[in-house]
Amino acid sequence: MKLSILLAQYFYQHKQLNLPSIGSFSLDAAVSVPDQNDKNFREFLKYVQFKQQPVAKADDTLIDYIRAHTGKIKPLAESDLESYLADGKLLLNIGKPFHIDGIGSLHKNKLGIYEFIAGEPSLERMEVISEPRETERPAAASNKKKSAFDESYSRIEAHNTRRKSLLIGTLVVIGLAVIVWGGYVLYNNNNGKELSTPPQQVVQDTSLPASDTTAKAPVDSTPVTTASTLPPGSYKFIFETTAKKARALKRHAFLLPLNKDIKLETTDSLTFNISIVLPATPADTIRLKDSLNAWYYGTKPVKVRIEQ
């Protein structure tokens, strides 16, 4: 059974769901939960409240609930939940919604605050398990449909019938293909080429010759950020460092329409960094670095580095 379905069923029963690094969902104790097939179920979802607040760890009752309905031992149940939430935070950090079936969707606004929109009810039924099992389910159980955020997290099936998950997966694949292809073309076109003008502080692409039509977006003139100037709880992920000013300008102009937070920086007018600053916990940095490397370089070895 998908982990998101288990979270929804747990929430319906306990009227409280605390998710580490995300926040808390709650229902007033006086609100009764109707049957999922009841025509008033959609009205009931309007009473779901979300509060973005620090949650140190998942409740033991939630972990036990996941164990009881997946047959996994406690460390595996905890690991599945951590991976599910980490993937959700990654979606939020890149501007995508994080869907929790049967509860709703979270969106991250420009101020970094999570906004909650109540969702559609989950009509998938739970299997009744009399008691937790200490071994995992037989391989035959893998025939059930899975989404990108089920407890396996090992792959996404090609025929996912959930429209929102399918849309997200399609956009990610298209985006990666465009970035990898564009990076390869730009790299080959600019390899070994230098601007004829002497190096100077990067301000905007007006320093390019008039005949250059590939770099039209202004370049960020912010100096290289040090640890003391980064927002608390944020890390700088550096995609690429190059001494070729022409490549830096064109590469940044290509990436800027895809994500306005990507910066082009220099401290000495000799080397240029293409980077992005994201909020993250120390435990999230490795996962974020791997995901950003796949977005920027495709299947190449990890080249993205972290500067706190």
Side-chain angles (χ1 to χ4, degrees):
M1 180 176 295
K2 293 192 307 177
L3 188 58
S4 58
I5 297 298
L6 290 180
L7 294 180
Q9 297 289 0
Y10 175 88
F11 178 61
Y12 298 159
Q13 294 183 25
H14 294 80
K15 298 185 178 181
Q16 183 74 27
L17 177 62
N18 300 316
L19 300 180
S21 73
I22 299 294
S24 299
F25 297 88
S26 61
L27 275 173
D28 190 279
V31 176
S32 60
V33 181
D35 184 84
Q36 294 179 10
N37 294 321
D38 193 295
K39 64 180 181 179
N40 295 321
F41 196 94
R42 186 171 299 179
E43 293 296 322
F44 148 75
L45 289 175
K46 295 180 179 179
Y47 293 100
V48 177
Q49 300 293 321
F50 172 74
K51 184 176 182 182
Q52 185 176 351
Q53 61 183 4
V55 178
K57 58 175 294 187
D59 297 334
D60 290 338
T61 53
L62 175 59
I63 299 300
D64 290 340
Y65 190 87
I66 295 172
R67 290 182 57 218
H69 293 86
T70 62
K72 295 188 175 183
I73 61 177
K74 185 175 182 179
L76 290 178
E78 292 174 338
S79 177
D80 284 352
L81 181 60
E82 290 173 1
S83 297
Y84 175 82
L85 297 178
D87 286 344
K89 283 196 65 178
L90 179 58
L91 284 175
L92 292 170
N93 286 336
I94 63 175
K96 303 295 183 182
F98 176 30
H99 302 288
I100 304 178
D101 292 334
I103 297 179
S105 301
L106 291 174
H107 304 257
K108 187 175 182 180
N109 63 24
K110 294 182 179 180
L111 299 178
I113 299 174
Y114 296 161
E115 297 177 348
F116 174 69
I117 300 176
E120 295 297 324
S122 169
L123 299 180
E124 184 170 335
R125 295 294 185 178
M126 291 191 305
E127 293 184 13
V128 178
I129 301 178
S130 58
E131 61 182 29
R133 294 178 296 170
E134 294 301 324
T135 59
E136 298 202 18
R137 293 182 177 181
S142 63
N143 292 328
K144 295 183 179 179
K145 293 183 178 179
K146 299 178 180 179
S147 70
F149 297 105
D150 65 1
E151 62 264 29
S152 67
Y153 300 107
S154 60
R155 62 181 181 277
I156 302 173
E157 293 183 357
H159 300 290
N160 192 324
T161 58
R162 296 191 178 278
R163 294 179 60 190
K164 292 180 180 179
S165 297
L166 180 59
L167 177 59
I168 292 174
T170 302
L171 291 175
V172 169
V173 171
I174 293 174
L176 285 174
V178 171
I179 293 303
V180 172
W181 175 82
Y184 177 78
V185 172
L186 286 175
Y187 178 83
N188 286 328
N189 287 343
N190 291 284
N191 189 23
K193 295 181 180 179
E194 296 288 344
L195 282 181
S196 59
T197 56
Q200 54 184 316
Q201 182 68 28
V202 177
V203 287
Q204 61 181 26
D205 64 349
T206 54
S207 62
L208 287 173
S211 61
D212 192 327
T213 60
T214 59
K216 297 297 183 183
V219 178
D220 191 343
S221 59
T222 305
V224 173
T225 305
T226 62
S228 60
T229 60
L230 283 176
S234 297
Y235 291 80
K236 177 184 291 184
F237 296 85
I238 300 176
F239 294 107
E240 179 179 348
T241 299
T242 179
K244 296 181 176 66
K245 186 177 180 181
R247 170 171 171 75
L249 287 169
K250 291 183 180 180
R251 188 65 175 150
H252 181 253
F254 175 80
L255 294 171
L256 193 60
L258 302 177
N259 191 317
K260 62 182 179 59
D261 294 326
I262 293 178
K263 305 296 182 183
L264 175 60
E265 302 170 337
T266 182
T267 55
D268 53 12
S269 298
L270 297 177
T271 57
F272 303 87
N273 288 332
I274 299 175
S275 63
I276 188 170
V277 175
L278 294 175
T281 64
D284 292 332
T285 54
I286 300 300
R287 182 183 296 274
L288 280 172
K289 183 175 73 171
D290 291 342
S291 298
L292 291 172
N293 193 85
W295 179 80
Y296 195 86
Y297 291 105
T299 59
K300 292 184 178 181
V302 176
K303 297 183 179 179
V304 175
R305 67 181 193 275
I306 301 172
E307 178 182 299
Q308 184 176 11

